[in-house]
Amino acid sequence: MPNRIRKCFLDFDGTIVNNQKRLFQFFQENVNPKYRDVLDIQEFWTLKRCAVHELEWINRTFKTDYSLQAWNEKKAAEIENAHYLSFEEIFDFSVETLKRLREKYYLILVTRRDNEDGLFEELKRFGIRELFDEIIVLNHNGVTKSEIIRQRFTVNADDLFVGDTEDDIISGNDLGCSVYFVLSGIRGKWLAQKLNLGVNVIHDIREIE
């Protein structure tokens, strides 16, 4: 490990890249056409940030009975294919911020992806593969992030864990390091208040010193 002793574990989607358009595109292409225009992208994202399932909202609002299980299974099978990943965008601040953080921290990307090849294609497309000292990829239904990190690293209280989901907050807290919950991703600040684990709530990774 280089002289950058402190480690910074970073999530990917919602933290470094914006997956808003990817998720909305899946919704647009797979929902019943009669409901395709009932939500614009900002309204759709508001639901996601409040942890409201988009199909559940449609069922409740329009008194329909579409299967959430079938939707979730289709989404799990397709959302990481090349077509949908092409809608993902890197935040305009991510590259310069990662370069700055890399001067101080040993950067470790820790993310959940079933399509590992797709992830590395994205890293190549965004030109950020070499900014990470190590990359850990977990399946969506695999072990917790904290479990896999413990297998590979000794984590200290002054290390950082940065992400935008409950998975990230709980894992960082479990590891005993400083947790930064970013509001640039799929959940709002209510999540930090709900979990009540004393995390640092920030708008995005630019606020990390």
Side-chain angles (χ1 to χ4, degrees), residues 28-45:
Q28 289 275 287
E29 292 183 8
N30 292 281
V31 74
N32 186 311
K34 71 166 69 174
Y35 303 116
R36 189 168 292 155
D37 298 323
V38 298
L39 293 170
D40 63 27
I41 191 168
Q42 292 304 323
E43 292 166 335
F44 171 84
W45 200 239

Side-chain angles (χ1 to χ4, degrees), residues 53 74 94:
H53 194 295
K74 181 176 179 61
S94 289

